[in-house]
Amino acid sequence: MKKEVFIETPYITLGQLLKEESVISTGGQAKWYLRENTVDVNDEPDNRRGRKLYPGDTVAVPEVGLFFIRSKQGE
């Protein structure tokens, strides 16, 4: 599944994205989830829940989908 994620702030963290997209149910699960699963940010593996994602970034979550970060400010 491919999905655009619109943010109103300058960035969103990887942990926040996983929670907002219902990959995990609480923010506290992000550390565990990223330890157990390989998530690619801009085609490179990243396991930092605090990784800042900016408009233009892509996040590939295995068995979930591909997320494109976009800015709402352009609307």
Side-chain angles (χ1 to χ4, degrees):
M1 166 183 83
K2 294 181 182 179
K3 182 175 180 188
E4 289 186 321
V5 177
F6 291 94
I7 59 174
E8 296 179 5
T9 56
Y11 65 86
I12 186 172
T13 66
L14 183 54
Q16 289 171 325
L17 174 74
L18 294 174
K19 184 175 179 220
E20 291 294 321
E21 294 304 318
S22 300
V23 176
I24 57 175
S25 56
T26 66
Q29 293 177 333
K31 189 174 186 178
W32 168 83
Y33 183 86
L34 292 169
R35 190 179 309 141
E36 301 291 323
N37 299 277
T38 302
V39 173
D40 290 339
V41 176
N42 298 326
D43 297 321
E44 294 183 10
D46 202 323
N47 63 357
R48 298 173 292 163
R49 65 183 173 184
R51 165 72 188 259
K52 293 178 181 176
L53 304 171
Y54 296 94
D57 286 345
T58 60
V59 180
V61 182
E63 299 181 22
V64 176
L66 184 62
F67 299 95
F68 301 96
I69 310 301
R70 302 288 184 250
S71 175
K72 262 191 180 175
Q73 297 172 354
E75 293 182 351

